[in-house]
Amino acid sequence: MKRVVIEGSQWGDEGKGKITDYFSGKADVVVRFQGGNNAGHTIVFDGKKFAVRLLPSGIFHKGVVCVLASGMVISPSGFFEEVDALKKAGIDVSRIKISDRASVLLDYHKLLDGANERALSGNKIGTTGRGIGPCYTDKASRIGLRMCDLLDAKTLRKCLERTLQFKNRELKSYGLEPVDFDTMYKECLKYGKKLKPYITDTSVFLQNEIKKGSKILFEGAQGAMLCLTHGTYPYVTCSSPMSVSVPLSCGIPPRSIDYVLGIAKAYTTRVGEGPFPTELFGAFADELRERGHEYGTVTKRPRRIGWLDINILNHCARISGVDGWALTLLDVLTGVDKINICVGYNYKGKTVTTIPATLEEYQAYKPIYITMDGWKKDISNVKSFEELPKNAQKYLKKIEKLTNVPIALFSVGPDREQTVILHDPFED
Ligand code: IMP
């Protein structure tokens, strides 16, 4: 397999960072295809901690080309914050390529994100506050700035005038300070100069890499249930983290995708608002939260905790064509006496196994569980499936059976070595 997509299969935070880091070492090119700095994970490199929010994790692997594709919303200040920290650590950043068609996220997007949330009051989305929604809104409204617009003074003037005409009206309607054109124009020109060496037509670059037979890893941020189209709308992000969005967001044909690796936690978490049928509360949820260090990387918010929901995995697998699962944080379940798996929902006396379009309906769904015996033995050092306690083996087998998708690998701790590969998509 040459082109592999890594996709979160729940509500994000499935531990994609570690898995992406693992496979990045085998890839020639790693691509972020959607989202912006609402994503994030911490990578320890040479004993130092780095927060990566925009850049693909491939940057920590020598020689790997890192692409920020056209489906992304990129904050230039956020980008240089990451790049400067890497440069200081002696990491070669000349391998980064930014799509000329990627959207530019500026400070007023963040202000509008906050204002929108305040206006929604009781119905707020619980966004990361990074301006992601307002930036994608500008793109869809055809008034947004793209990377290519920053490269030419005349074009920039025209595009910025167009966008600020709308944005300042919006800011004023919220009682916020309008953006001063000249200040923003100068700031954007400066960004353009600094960004120029990185900006290119990444669709052409990727097509050439595909022709050459390079190994390409597409790194999704967030998770399938946060997909703007197929997630729990409106409690979603404004892009699609699903494999089906890769071709469009990168400018490559759909047939170029060889394998989709769905990343799923052995249980479920969610940050922000929205329905979550298997959510747990009380002391047990708190215990799992502590054991799994379930706090947001970007916002530090405590994550909501729940049992594994097979309906969600099947929703994701059906739409994205998941070829194999990477089951993460299995070790967090060690010591849990009885483990529940949600295999359907009860809705008005009927059993349902699909995710409804409306929130109102989903909120009324009651989970139907099967219960499995847990295991007590520490699994954090196991190196093979066979070394797992029998009940942990049964848990994995059950997931495979209920989803009809094989487990490609599982993870039993935060370190790279605590990953057991059953089949490697790049080697198959
Ligand atoms: P936004 O992407 O900041 O607009 O936030 C929309 C929703 O997606 C909120 O519920 C966020 O908590 C959630 N979200 C965004 N990025 C992530 C992520 O990387 N992990 C988990 N949830 C996320």
Side-chain angles (χ1 to χ4, degrees), residues 61-112:
H61 295 271
K62 246 190 177 166
V64 174
V65 178
C66 293
V67 173
L68 282 75
S70 42
M72 285 191 75
V73 287
I74 302 169
S75 147
S77 61
F79 174 79
F80 284 113
E81 213 175 281
E82 286 179 37
V83 162
D84 291 345
L86 296 174
K87 269 189 187 165
K88 255 192 214 148
I91 295 170
D92 169 27
V93 294
S94 68
R95 298 172 282 133
I96 300 171
K97 294 184 187 297
I98 300 178
S99 165
D100 47 6
R101 288 158 172 88
S103 298
V104 180
L105 189 150
L106 294 161
D107 280 347
Y108 56 80
H109 290 121
K110 278 188 247 171
L111 293 176
L112 289 170

Side-chain angles (χ1 to χ4, degrees), residues 25 188 223 307 400 415 424:
C188 286
W307 294 117
E400 287 188 327
D415 289 345
D424 182 332

